[in-house]
Amino acid sequence: MLGAHKVIVSNKYLKYEFVIKRNITVIKGNSATGKTTLIEMIREYNEEEDSGVSVQCDKKCVAVYGKDWEKRIQDISNAIVFIDEAGRFTKSTDFAKVIQNTNNYYVIVSREKLGNLPFSIDEIYGIRERGKYPGIKSEYTLNEFYHIYGQQPQNLFEPEVIVTEDSNSGYEFFSKVCEEKLECLSAKGKSNVLSILKKDEYKSKRRLAIVDGAAFGSEIEIIMIYIINVDNDIKIYAPESFEYLLLLSEIFDSKKLQHKLTESYDFIDSEKYFSWEQYYTALIMEETRGTEKQYSKSNLNPYYLSERNIKYVLEKIPDNIIFDKERSHHVPHTFP
């Protein structure tokens, strides 16, 4: 499946409006915020003739539950699949294997970590009441999705230690940036980022973690809880991926790539790419194959480590993060 799809689910008392644009969307939040009600309304719409529920979308919307979840998913195609947190199977590796390479989008209600799934920080939502509005026969409540980890005002931050999620090209790049100025460490995987940030030898230093936002959703909650409650000398910088950051910079023809980067949902086939991170890697490899810019994720081409190209990439890092006071920056995604 491709594209962004608006969904409206309603009965005479309640209405939900939201847009789904990636293969995995996660809904979190406290009890009694309407998460389970949304899934139940979709189930009623599909299974009960006189449910009183209306579902408007250009794709079929279905709810999956119960012990036969695997067979039900295998029988569904080109649809938006909603799953409630009562379905504990969403935490399993079997679930990840089943939904990978399918042409559906999945909306999962869960307060669990879901470390088996590569979902985006940008696609973690809560549900809140927007207001009450007059309907045809009675007043109804409108519920909306909101980003739990949205952009927030930032103070200037000059890190003393950089922690990259991976040990490959991104780490090579930022090691060069940090050369003789800052300490740069690799967490060697997203699940290790917090443990590196918490190490005693770094607790007295300002730390910046650079992670692939497109697939870091399972880790962000526990890190944010730690930052807010324990240690606010940590910042998280979460572009979609290192490859996305390169493609966004002046190293590439931004006009040519603009649409693919700003409206990626129109190009990323859920059946082919389990996360957007995979798409950006494939895109940069396709764009550079056979050229001086030829890209390898495992071993960064020295072309990207020239002073000019480093400057181009750093210009896309948020204004409030200061690697070098002589450089000015542009603003994508950071978290406090």
mmCIF file of all heavy atoms in Angstrom, residues 1-2 22-23 118 214-215 240-244 247 256-270 272-287 289 295 297:
data_model
loop_
_atom_site.group_PDB
_atom_site.id
_atom_site.type_symbol
_atom_site.label_atom_id
_atom_site.label_comp_id
_atom_site.label_asym_id
_atom_site.label_seq_id
_atom_site.Cartn_x
_atom_site.Cartn_y
_atom_site.Cartn_z
ATOM 1 N N MET A 1 0.840 -1.190 0.000
ATOM 2 C CA MET A 1 0.000 0.000 0.000
ATOM 3 C C MET A 1 0.880 1.246 0.000
ATOM 4 O O MET A 1 1.947 1.277 0.602
ATOM 5 C CB MET A 1 -0.923 0.010 1.233
ATOM 6 C CG MET A 1 -1.953 1.149 1.214
ATOM 7 S SD MET A 1 -2.909 1.290 2.741
ATOM 8 C CE MET A 1 -3.800 -0.263 2.717
ATOM 9 N N LEU A 2 0.405 2.245 -0.682
ATOM 10 C CA LEU A 2 1.071 3.535 -0.736
ATOM 11 C C LEU A 2 0.121 4.619 -0.247
ATOM 12 O O LEU A 2 -1.093 4.428 -0.176
ATOM 13 C CB LEU A 2 1.481 3.871 -2.170
ATOM 14 C CG LEU A 2 2.532 3.008 -2.867
ATOM 15 C CD1 LEU A 2 2.589 3.372 -4.341
ATOM 16 C CD2 LEU A 2 3.888 3.222 -2.232
ATOM 17 N N ARG A 22 1.758 5.545 7.259
ATOM 18 C CA ARG A 22 2.854 4.571 7.272
ATOM 19 C C ARG A 22 2.291 3.189 7.543
ATOM 20 O O ARG A 22 1.152 3.043 7.976
ATOM 21 C CB ARG A 22 3.897 4.917 8.339
ATOM 22 C CG ARG A 22 4.541 6.262 8.142
ATOM 23 C CD ARG A 22 5.867 6.355 8.863
ATOM 24 N NE ARG A 22 6.312 7.732 8.973
ATOM 25 C CZ ARG A 22 7.561 8.117 9.090
ATOM 26 N NH1 ARG A 22 8.526 7.209 9.112
ATOM 27 N NH2 ARG A 22 7.883 9.385 9.201
ATOM 28 N N ASN A 23 3.124 2.195 7.325
ATOM 29 C CA ASN A 23 2.642 0.826 7.480
ATOM 30 C C ASN A 23 2.382 0.455 8.936
ATOM 31 O O ASN A 23 1.591 -0.440 9.217
ATOM 32 C CB ASN A 23 3.620 -0.169 6.848
ATOM 33 C CG ASN A 23 4.997 -0.129 7.481
ATOM 34 O OD1 ASN A 23 5.483 0.935 7.844
ATOM 35 N ND2 ASN A 23 5.638 -1.275 7.612
ATOM 36 N N PRO A 118 9.639 -2.117 13.686
ATOM 37 C CA PRO A 118 10.380 -0.899 13.368
ATOM 38 C C PRO A 118 9.436 0.257 13.041
ATOM 39 O O PRO A 118 9.204 0.579 11.878
ATOM 40 C CB PRO A 118 11.183 -1.320 12.131
ATOM 41 C CG PRO A 118 10.279 -2.301 11.438
ATOM 42 C CD PRO A 118 9.518 -3.014 12.517
ATOM 43 N N ALA A 214 12.879 6.943 12.000
ATOM 44 C CA ALA A 214 11.922 6.126 11.251
ATOM 45 C C ALA A 214 11.690 4.760 11.866
ATOM 46 O O ALA A 214 10.683 4.115 11.576
ATOM 47 C CB ALA A 214 12.390 5.959 9.804
ATOM 48 N N ALA A 215 12.626 4.294 12.711
ATOM 49 C CA ALA A 215 12.479 2.950 13.285
ATOM 50 C C ALA A 215 12.771 2.915 14.782
ATOM 51 O O ALA A 215 12.957 1.852 15.360
ATOM 52 C CB ALA A 215 13.405 1.976 12.563
ATOM 53 N N GLU A 240 14.849 11.023 10.115
ATOM 54 C CA GLU A 240 14.315 9.733 9.663
ATOM 55 C C GLU A 240 15.414 8.660 9.662
ATOM 56 O O GLU A 240 15.210 7.540 10.117
ATOM 57 C CB GLU A 240 13.724 9.863 8.259
ATOM 58 C CG GLU A 240 12.491 10.749 8.159
ATOM 59 C CD GLU A 240 11.224 10.039 8.578
ATOM 60 O OE1 GLU A 240 11.275 8.868 8.993
ATOM 61 O OE2 GLU A 240 10.162 10.682 8.486
ATOM 62 N N SER A 241 16.571 9.016 9.134
ATOM 63 C CA SER A 241 17.727 8.121 9.118
ATOM 64 C C SER A 241 18.928 8.941 8.693
ATOM 65 O O SER A 241 18.791 10.086 8.222
ATOM 66 C CB SER A 241 17.523 6.950 8.159
ATOM 67 O OG SER A 241 17.556 7.401 6.813
ATOM 68 N N PHE A 242 20.123 8.385 8.822
ATOM 69 C CA PHE A 242 21.313 9.084 8.354
ATOM 70 C C PHE A 242 21.251 9.280 6.843
ATOM 71 O O PHE A 242 21.627 10.337 6.324
ATOM 72 C CB PHE A 242 22.566 8.295 8.741
ATOM 73 C CG PHE A 242 23.839 8.898 8.210
ATOM 74 C CD1 PHE A 242 24.248 10.162 8.616
ATOM 75 C CD2 PHE A 242 24.629 8.207 7.293
ATOM 76 C CE1 PHE A 242 25.422 10.736 8.120
ATOM 77 C CE2 PHE A 242 25.802 8.760 6.797
ATOM 78 C CZ PHE A 242 26.196 10.027 7.219
ATOM 79 N N GLU A 243 20.759 8.278 6.122
ATOM 80 C CA GLU A 243 20.635 8.388 4.664
ATOM 81 C C GLU A 243 19.670 9.520 4.283
ATOM 82 O O GLU A 243 19.913 10.251 3.324
ATOM 83 C CB GLU A 243 20.164 7.058 4.076
ATOM 84 C CG GLU A 243 21.180 5.937 4.163
ATOM 85 C CD GLU A 243 21.318 5.322 5.551
ATOM 86 O OE1 GLU A 243 20.370 5.479 6.365
ATOM 87 O OE2 GLU A 243 22.357 4.711 5.836
ATOM 88 N N TYR A 244 18.585 9.648 5.028
ATOM 89 C CA TYR A 244 17.641 10.750 4.802
ATOM 90 C C TYR A 244 18.337 12.095 4.988
ATOM 91 O O TYR A 244 18.142 13.030 4.202
ATOM 92 C CB TYR A 244 16.478 10.617 5.785
ATOM 93 C CG TYR A 244 15.516 11.778 5.782
ATOM 94 C CD1 TYR A 244 14.429 11.809 4.916
ATOM 95 C CD2 TYR A 244 15.673 12.844 6.672
ATOM 96 C CE1 TYR A 244 13.543 12.875 4.917
ATOM 97 C CE2 TYR A 244 14.796 13.905 6.681
ATOM 98 C CZ TYR A 244 13.728 13.917 5.803
ATOM 99 O OH TYR A 244 12.854 14.980 5.814
ATOM 100 N N LEU A 247 20.479 12.821 1.964
ATOM 101 C CA LEU A 247 19.645 13.166 0.809
ATOM 102 C C LEU A 247 19.041 14.557 0.934
ATOM 103 O O LEU A 247 18.821 15.253 -0.061
ATOM 104 C CB LEU A 247 18.525 12.135 0.645
ATOM 105 C CG LEU A 247 18.957 10.746 0.170
ATOM 106 C CD1 LEU A 247 17.853 9.729 0.409
ATOM 107 C CD2 LEU A 247 19.349 10.779 -1.305
ATOM 108 N N LYS A 256 15.065 17.734 -7.160
ATOM 109 C CA LYS A 256 14.730 16.454 -7.762
ATOM 110 C C LYS A 256 14.155 15.492 -6.722
ATOM 111 O O LYS A 256 13.218 14.733 -6.984
ATOM 112 C CB LYS A 256 15.963 15.849 -8.418
ATOM 113 C CG LYS A 256 15.763 14.463 -9.013
ATOM 114 C CD LYS A 256 17.068 13.932 -9.586
ATOM 115 C CE LYS A 256 16.910 12.518 -10.106
ATOM 116 N NZ LYS A 256 18.205 11.966 -10.601
ATOM 117 N N LEU A 257 14.734 15.541 -5.514
ATOM 118 C CA LEU A 257 14.345 14.590 -4.469
ATOM 119 C C LEU A 257 13.287 15.122 -3.518
ATOM 120 O O LEU A 257 12.796 14.388 -2.668
ATOM 121 C CB LEU A 257 15.585 14.203 -3.655
ATOM 122 C CG LEU A 257 16.656 13.409 -4.391
ATOM 123 C CD1 LEU A 257 17.907 13.313 -3.535
ATOM 124 C CD2 LEU A 257 16.153 12.030 -4.754
ATOM 125 N N GLN A 258 12.940 16.396 -3.645
ATOM 126 C CA GLN A 258 12.083 17.048 -2.658
ATOM 127 C C GLN A 258 10.809 16.272 -2.370
ATOM 128 O O GLN A 258 10.464 16.019 -1.209
ATOM 129 C CB GLN A 258 11.729 18.464 -3.146
ATOM 130 C CG GLN A 258 10.892 19.286 -2.176
ATOM 131 C CD GLN A 258 11.679 19.737 -0.965
ATOM 132 O OE1 GLN A 258 12.906 19.781 -0.988
ATOM 133 N NE2 GLN A 258 10.987 20.030 0.107
ATOM 134 N N HIS A 259 10.104 15.892 -3.408
ATOM 135 C CA HIS A 259 8.821 15.209 -3.216
ATOM 136 C C HIS A 259 9.008 13.856 -2.544
ATOM 137 O O HIS A 259 8.221 13.464 -1.676
ATOM 138 C CB HIS A 259 8.101 15.055 -4.558
ATOM 139 C CG HIS A 259 6.689 14.594 -4.435
ATOM 140 N ND1 HIS A 259 5.815 15.088 -3.489
ATOM 141 C CD2 HIS A 259 5.972 13.655 -5.126
ATOM 142 C CE1 HIS A 259 4.637 14.496 -3.603
ATOM 143 N NE2 HIS A 259 4.708 13.616 -4.577
ATOM 144 N N LYS A 260 10.075 13.155 -2.908
ATOM 145 C CA LYS A 260 10.318 11.838 -2.316
ATOM 146 C C LYS A 260 10.666 11.937 -0.833
ATOM 147 O O LYS A 260 10.460 10.983 -0.073
ATOM 148 C CB LYS A 260 11.446 11.123 -3.061
ATOM 149 C CG LYS A 260 11.053 10.675 -4.464
ATOM 150 C CD LYS A 260 12.187 9.913 -5.141
ATOM 151 C CE LYS A 260 11.767 9.454 -6.539
ATOM 152 N NZ LYS A 260 12.852 8.708 -7.226
ATOM 153 N N LEU A 261 11.187 13.083 -0.408
ATOM 154 C CA LEU A 261 11.562 13.261 0.989
ATOM 155 C C LEU A 261 10.438 13.880 1.818
ATOM 156 O O LEU A 261 10.281 13.558 2.996
ATOM 157 C CB LEU A 261 12.813 14.138 1.094
ATOM 158 C CG LEU A 261 14.080 13.571 0.451
ATOM 159 C CD1 LEU A 261 15.229 14.565 0.557
ATOM 160 C CD2 LEU A 261 14.479 12.240 1.082
ATOM 161 N N THR A 262 9.660 14.766 1.228
ATOM 162 C CA THR A 262 8.602 15.440 1.994
ATOM 163 C C THR A 262 7.274 14.691 1.968
ATOM 164 O O THR A 262 6.497 14.781 2.915
ATOM 165 C CB THR A 262 8.383 16.876 1.478
ATOM 166 O OG1 THR A 262 8.054 16.832 0.080
ATOM 167 C CG2 THR A 262 9.613 17.720 1.696
ATOM 168 N N GLU A 263 7.011 13.960 0.886
ATOM 169 C CA GLU A 263 5.801 13.139 0.804
ATOM 170 C C GLU A 263 6.188 11.687 0.548
ATOM 171 O O GLU A 263 5.733 11.051 -0.409
ATOM 172 C CB GLU A 263 4.861 13.635 -0.302
ATOM 173 C CG GLU A 263 4.002 14.812 0.097
ATOM 174 C CD GLU A 263 4.673 16.134 -0.219
ATOM 175 O OE1 GLU A 263 5.320 16.212 -1.272
ATOM 176 O OE2 GLU A 263 4.565 17.073 0.581
ATOM 177 N N SER A 264 7.037 11.173 1.422
ATOM 178 C CA SER A 264 7.576 9.821 1.237
ATOM 179 C C SER A 264 6.481 8.761 1.168
ATOM 180 O O SER A 264 6.647 7.726 0.516
ATOM 181 C CB SER A 264 8.555 9.481 2.360
ATOM 182 O OG SER A 264 9.662 10.332 2.352
ATOM 183 N N TYR A 265 5.359 9.001 1.843
ATOM 184 C CA TYR A 265 4.267 8.020 1.852
ATOM 185 C C TYR A 265 3.730 7.726 0.453
ATOM 186 O O TYR A 265 3.121 6.676 0.222
ATOM 187 C CB TYR A 265 3.132 8.498 2.763
ATOM 188 C CG TYR A 265 2.749 9.947 2.583
ATOM 189 C CD1 TYR A 265 1.951 10.374 1.520
ATOM 190 C CD2 TYR A 265 3.168 10.907 3.496
ATOM 191 C CE1 TYR A 265 1.604 11.699 1.350
ATOM 192 C CE2 TYR A 265 2.818 12.241 3.352
ATOM 193 C CZ TYR A 265 2.048 12.637 2.285
ATOM 194 O OH TYR A 265 1.708 13.961 2.124
ATOM 195 N N ASP A 266 3.966 8.623 -0.502
ATOM 196 C CA ASP A 266 3.507 8.376 -1.872
ATOM 197 C C ASP A 266 4.454 7.452 -2.646
ATOM 198 O O ASP A 266 4.131 7.037 -3.754
ATOM 199 C CB ASP A 266 3.380 9.700 -2.637
ATOM 200 C CG ASP A 266 2.143 10.479 -2.252
ATOM 201 O OD1 ASP A 266 1.166 9.850 -1.817
ATOM 202 O OD2 ASP A 266 2.161 11.724 -2.372
ATOM 203 N N PHE A 267 5.609 7.133 -2.067
ATOM 204 C CA PHE A 267 6.626 6.350 -2.763
ATOM 205 C C PHE A 267 6.998 5.060 -2.036
ATOM 206 O O PHE A 267 7.562 4.159 -2.660
ATOM 207 C CB PHE A 267 7.896 7.191 -2.949
ATOM 208 C CG PHE A 267 7.681 8.434 -3.765
ATOM 209 C CD1 PHE A 267 7.330 9.622 -3.151
ATOM 210 C CD2 PHE A 267 7.796 8.408 -5.144
ATOM 211 C CE1 PHE A 267 7.114 10.769 -3.894
ATOM 212 C CE2 PHE A 267 7.581 9.551 -5.897
ATOM 213 C CZ PHE A 267 7.237 10.734 -5.273
ATOM 214 N N ILE A 268 6.715 4.964 -0.751
ATOM 215 C CA ILE A 268 7.199 3.827 0.037
ATOM 216 C C ILE A 268 6.127 2.751 0.101
ATOM 217 O O ILE A 268 5.112 2.894 0.791
ATOM 218 C CB ILE A 268 7.627 4.272 1.449
ATOM 219 C CG1 ILE A 268 8.726 5.339 1.336
ATOM 220 C CG2 ILE A 268 8.129 3.074 2.252
ATOM 221 C CD1 ILE A 268 9.214 5.881 2.654
ATOM 222 N N ASP A 269 6.345 1.673 -0.606
ATOM 223 C CA ASP A 269 5.413 0.555 -0.684
ATOM 224 C C ASP A 269 5.557 -0.302 0.578
ATOM 225 O O ASP A 269 6.627 -0.854 0.847
ATOM 226 C CB ASP A 269 5.723 -0.267 -1.930
ATOM 227 C CG ASP A 269 4.712 -1.372 -2.189
ATOM 228 O OD1 ASP A 269 3.927 -1.699 -1.279
ATOM 229 O OD2 ASP A 269 4.719 -1.916 -3.308
ATOM 230 N N SER A 270 4.475 -0.426 1.345
ATOM 231 C CA SER A 270 4.528 -1.181 2.606
ATOM 232 C C SER A 270 4.850 -2.656 2.386
ATOM 233 O O SER A 270 5.355 -3.323 3.288
ATOM 234 C CB SER A 270 3.187 -1.060 3.352
ATOM 235 O OG SER A 270 2.133 -1.645 2.599
ATOM 236 N N LYS A 272 7.069 -3.737 0.300
ATOM 237 C CA LYS A 272 8.495 -3.854 -0.011
ATOM 238 C C LYS A 272 9.383 -3.398 1.142
ATOM 239 O O LYS A 272 10.451 -3.977 1.401
ATOM 240 C CB LYS A 272 8.807 -3.043 -1.264
ATOM 241 C CG LYS A 272 10.239 -3.185 -1.759
ATOM 242 C CD LYS A 272 10.426 -2.452 -3.084
ATOM 243 C CE LYS A 272 11.850 -2.617 -3.604
ATOM 244 N NZ LYS A 272 12.056 -1.907 -4.893
ATOM 245 N N TYR A 273 8.941 -2.349 1.858
ATOM 246 C CA TYR A 273 9.774 -1.764 2.909
ATOM 247 C C TYR A 273 9.072 -1.855 4.253
ATOM 248 O O TYR A 273 7.990 -1.290 4.433
ATOM 249 C CB TYR A 273 10.080 -0.298 2.586
ATOM 250 C CG TYR A 273 10.832 -0.111 1.292
ATOM 251 C CD1 TYR A 273 10.189 0.366 0.153
ATOM 252 C CD2 TYR A 273 12.189 -0.419 1.205
ATOM 253 C CE1 TYR A 273 10.866 0.536 -1.043
ATOM 254 C CE2 TYR A 273 12.879 -0.248 0.008
ATOM 255 C CZ TYR A 273 12.215 0.232 -1.102
ATOM 256 O OH TYR A 273 12.883 0.397 -2.286
ATOM 257 N N PHE A 274 9.688 -2.529 5.201
ATOM 258 C CA PHE A 274 9.109 -2.684 6.534
ATOM 259 C C PHE A 274 9.221 -1.387 7.332
ATOM 260 O O PHE A 274 8.426 -1.121 8.214
ATOM 261 C CB PHE A 274 9.809 -3.826 7.276
ATOM 262 C CG PHE A 274 8.972 -4.438 8.373
ATOM 263 C CD1 PHE A 274 7.589 -4.355 8.376
ATOM 264 C CD2 PHE A 274 9.590 -5.128 9.405
ATOM 265 C CE1 PHE A 274 6.829 -4.938 9.378
ATOM 266 C CE2 PHE A 274 8.836 -5.712 10.419
ATOM 267 C CZ PHE A 274 7.458 -5.613 10.407
ATOM 268 N N SER A 275 10.246 -0.573 7.013
ATOM 269 C CA SER A 275 10.366 0.743 7.636
ATOM 270 C C SER A 275 10.837 1.740 6.591
ATOM 271 O O SER A 275 11.472 1.368 5.595
ATOM 272 C CB SER A 275 11.338 0.725 8.815
ATOM 273 O OG SER A 275 12.681 0.756 8.372
ATOM 274 N N TRP A 276 10.566 3.000 6.834
ATOM 275 C CA TRP A 276 11.004 4.039 5.905
ATOM 276 C C TRP A 276 12.524 4.134 5.871
ATOM 277 O O TRP A 276 13.100 4.554 4.866
ATOM 278 C CB TRP A 276 10.387 5.384 6.298
ATOM 279 C CG TRP A 276 8.946 5.494 5.938
ATOM 280 C CD1 TRP A 276 8.087 4.474 5.668
ATOM 281 C CD2 TRP A 276 8.198 6.703 5.802
ATOM 282 N NE1 TRP A 276 6.840 4.964 5.378
ATOM 283 C CE2 TRP A 276 6.884 6.339 5.450
ATOM 284 C CE3 TRP A 276 8.504 8.050 5.959
ATOM 285 C CZ2 TRP A 276 5.875 7.277 5.243
ATOM 286 C CZ3 TRP A 276 7.513 8.991 5.762
ATOM 287 C CH2 TRP A 276 6.212 8.603 5.396
ATOM 288 N N GLU A 277 13.182 3.782 6.921
ATOM 289 C CA GLU A 277 14.637 3.755 6.963
ATOM 290 C C GLU A 277 15.188 2.909 5.804
ATOM 291 O O GLU A 277 16.157 3.293 5.136
ATOM 292 C CB GLU A 277 15.084 3.187 8.312
ATOM 293 C CG GLU A 277 16.570 2.998 8.474
ATOM 294 C CD GLU A 277 16.903 2.226 9.750
ATOM 295 O OE1 GLU A 277 15.997 1.586 10.322
ATOM 296 O OE2 GLU A 277 18.077 2.262 10.136
ATOM 297 N N GLN A 278 14.570 1.755 5.545
ATOM 298 C CA GLN A 278 15.015 0.882 4.463
ATOM 299 C C GLN A 278 14.862 1.570 3.104
ATOM 300 O O GLN A 278 15.704 1.428 2.217
ATOM 301 C CB GLN A 278 14.215 -0.420 4.487
ATOM 302 C CG GLN A 278 14.442 -1.273 5.712
ATOM 303 C CD GLN A 278 13.496 -2.467 5.771
ATOM 304 O OE1 GLN A 278 12.451 -2.474 5.116
ATOM 305 N NE2 GLN A 278 13.861 -3.471 6.548
ATOM 306 N N TYR A 279 13.782 2.331 2.946
ATOM 307 C CA TYR A 279 13.539 3.033 1.685
ATOM 308 C C TYR A 279 14.616 4.075 1.413
ATOM 309 O O TYR A 279 15.138 4.169 0.294
ATOM 310 C CB TYR A 279 12.166 3.704 1.713
ATOM 311 C CG TYR A 279 11.946 4.658 0.555
ATOM 312 C CD1 TYR A 279 11.651 4.180 -0.717
ATOM 313 C CD2 TYR A 279 12.057 6.036 0.735
ATOM 314 C CE1 TYR A 279 11.460 5.053 -1.782
ATOM 315 C CE2 TYR A 279 11.870 6.911 -0.318
ATOM 316 C CZ TYR A 279 11.561 6.418 -1.575
ATOM 317 O OH TYR A 279 11.389 7.281 -2.620
ATOM 318 N N TYR A 280 14.954 4.869 2.430
ATOM 319 C CA TYR A 280 15.953 5.924 2.226
ATOM 320 C C TYR A 280 17.324 5.335 1.899
ATOM 321 O O TYR A 280 18.074 5.910 1.093
ATOM 322 C CB TYR A 280 16.037 6.829 3.450
ATOM 323 C CG TYR A 280 14.748 7.585 3.715
ATOM 324 C CD1 TYR A 280 14.082 7.462 4.928
ATOM 325 C CD2 TYR A 280 14.195 8.400 2.734
ATOM 326 C CE1 TYR A 280 12.901 8.138 5.165
ATOM 327 C CE2 TYR A 280 13.009 9.078 2.958
ATOM 328 C CZ TYR A 280 12.358 8.948 4.181
ATOM 329 O OH TYR A 280 11.179 9.611 4.408
ATOM 330 N N THR A 281 17.640 4.178 2.478
ATOM 331 C CA THR A 281 18.893 3.508 2.127
ATOM 332 C C THR A 281 18.870 3.067 0.666
ATOM 333 O O THR A 281 19.832 3.276 -0.076
ATOM 334 C CB THR A 281 19.139 2.299 3.045
ATOM 335 O OG1 THR A 281 19.226 2.738 4.404
ATOM 336 C CG2 THR A 281 20.423 1.588 2.670
ATOM 337 N N ALA A 282 17.751 2.462 0.248
ATOM 338 C CA ALA A 282 17.624 2.029 -1.149
ATOM 339 C C ALA A 282 17.663 3.223 -2.096
ATOM 340 O O ALA A 282 18.270 3.157 -3.179
ATOM 341 C CB ALA A 282 16.325 1.245 -1.332
ATOM 342 N N LEU A 283 17.045 4.331 -1.697
ATOM 343 C CA LEU A 283 16.982 5.523 -2.551
ATOM 344 C C LEU A 283 18.361 6.125 -2.755
ATOM 345 O O LEU A 283 18.744 6.447 -3.894
ATOM 346 C CB LEU A 283 16.049 6.556 -1.923
ATOM 347 C CG LEU A 283 15.880 7.881 -2.668
ATOM 348 C CD1 LEU A 283 15.323 7.648 -4.068
ATOM 349 C CD2 LEU A 283 14.964 8.823 -1.883
ATOM 350 N N ILE A 284 19.137 6.268 -1.691
ATOM 351 C CA ILE A 284 20.463 6.877 -1.848
ATOM 352 C C ILE A 284 21.392 5.962 -2.635
ATOM 353 O O ILE A 284 22.220 6.420 -3.426
ATOM 354 C CB ILE A 284 21.065 7.262 -0.474
ATOM 355 C CG1 ILE A 284 22.249 8.217 -0.679
ATOM 356 C CG2 ILE A 284 21.491 6.031 0.317
ATOM 357 C CD1 ILE A 284 22.779 8.817 0.608
ATOM 358 N N MET A 285 21.241 4.657 -2.479
ATOM 359 C CA MET A 285 22.070 3.730 -3.247
ATOM 360 C C MET A 285 21.719 3.795 -4.730
ATOM 361 O O MET A 285 22.600 3.760 -5.596
ATOM 362 C CB MET A 285 21.907 2.313 -2.690
ATOM 363 C CG MET A 285 22.514 2.145 -1.295
ATOM 364 S SD MET A 285 22.341 0.501 -0.595
ATOM 365 C CE MET A 285 23.532 -0.402 -1.592
ATOM 366 N N GLU A 286 20.435 3.937 -5.018
ATOM 367 C CA GLU A 286 19.995 4.057 -6.416
ATOM 368 C C GLU A 286 20.480 5.365 -7.034
ATOM 369 O O GLU A 286 20.936 5.399 -8.184
ATOM 370 C CB GLU A 286 18.467 3.996 -6.462
ATOM 371 C CG GLU A 286 17.875 4.182 -7.841
ATOM 372 C CD GLU A 286 16.361 4.254 -7.807
ATOM 373 O OE1 GLU A 286 15.733 3.662 -6.905
ATOM 374 O OE2 GLU A 286 15.792 4.924 -8.691
ATOM 375 N N GLU A 287 20.390 6.464 -6.258
ATOM 376 C CA GLU A 287 20.779 7.776 -6.754
ATOM 377 C C GLU A 287 22.281 7.879 -7.017
ATOM 378 O O GLU A 287 22.710 8.672 -7.857
ATOM 379 C CB GLU A 287 20.362 8.858 -5.751
ATOM 380 C CG GLU A 287 18.867 9.118 -5.668
ATOM 381 C CD GLU A 287 18.349 9.843 -6.888
ATOM 382 O OE1 GLU A 287 19.086 10.691 -7.442
ATOM 383 O OE2 GLU A 287 17.199 9.574 -7.301
ATOM 384 N N ARG A 289 24.580 5.125 -7.457
ATOM 385 C CA ARG A 289 25.240 3.962 -8.064
ATOM 386 C C ARG A 289 26.066 4.378 -9.283
ATOM 387 O O ARG A 289 25.586 5.065 -10.189
ATOM 388 C CB ARG A 289 24.204 2.914 -8.457
ATOM 389 C CG ARG A 289 24.803 1.592 -8.932
ATOM 390 C CD ARG A 289 23.739 0.545 -9.172
ATOM 391 N NE ARG A 289 23.138 0.120 -7.914
ATOM 392 C CZ ARG A 289 21.886 0.374 -7.558
ATOM 393 N NH1 ARG A 289 21.081 1.033 -8.382
ATOM 394 N NH2 ARG A 289 21.417 -0.055 -6.402
ATOM 395 N N TYR A 295 27.135 5.143 -2.524
ATOM 396 C CA TYR A 295 26.924 5.014 -1.078
ATOM 397 C C TYR A 295 26.938 3.558 -0.629
ATOM 398 O O TYR A 295 26.361 2.687 -1.287
ATOM 399 C CB TYR A 295 25.581 5.643 -0.692
ATOM 400 C CG TYR A 295 25.306 5.586 0.790
ATOM 401 C CD1 TYR A 295 25.889 6.496 1.672
ATOM 402 C CD2 TYR A 295 24.471 4.612 1.331
ATOM 403 C CE1 TYR A 295 25.649 6.439 3.032
ATOM 404 C CE2 TYR A 295 24.221 4.539 2.701
ATOM 405 C CZ TYR A 295 24.817 5.460 3.540
ATOM 406 O OH TYR A 295 24.577 5.396 4.890
ATOM 407 N N LYS A 297 26.279 1.520 3.143
ATOM 408 C CA LYS A 297 25.897 1.686 4.543
ATOM 409 C C LYS A 297 26.969 1.148 5.480
ATOM 410 O O LYS A 297 27.176 1.658 6.581
ATOM 411 C CB LYS A 297 24.572 0.956 4.800
ATOM 412 C CG LYS A 297 23.918 1.311 6.130
ATOM 413 C CD LYS A 297 22.555 0.673 6.239
ATOM 414 C CE LYS A 297 21.832 1.093 7.509
ATOM 415 N NZ LYS A 297 21.389 2.495 7.471
#
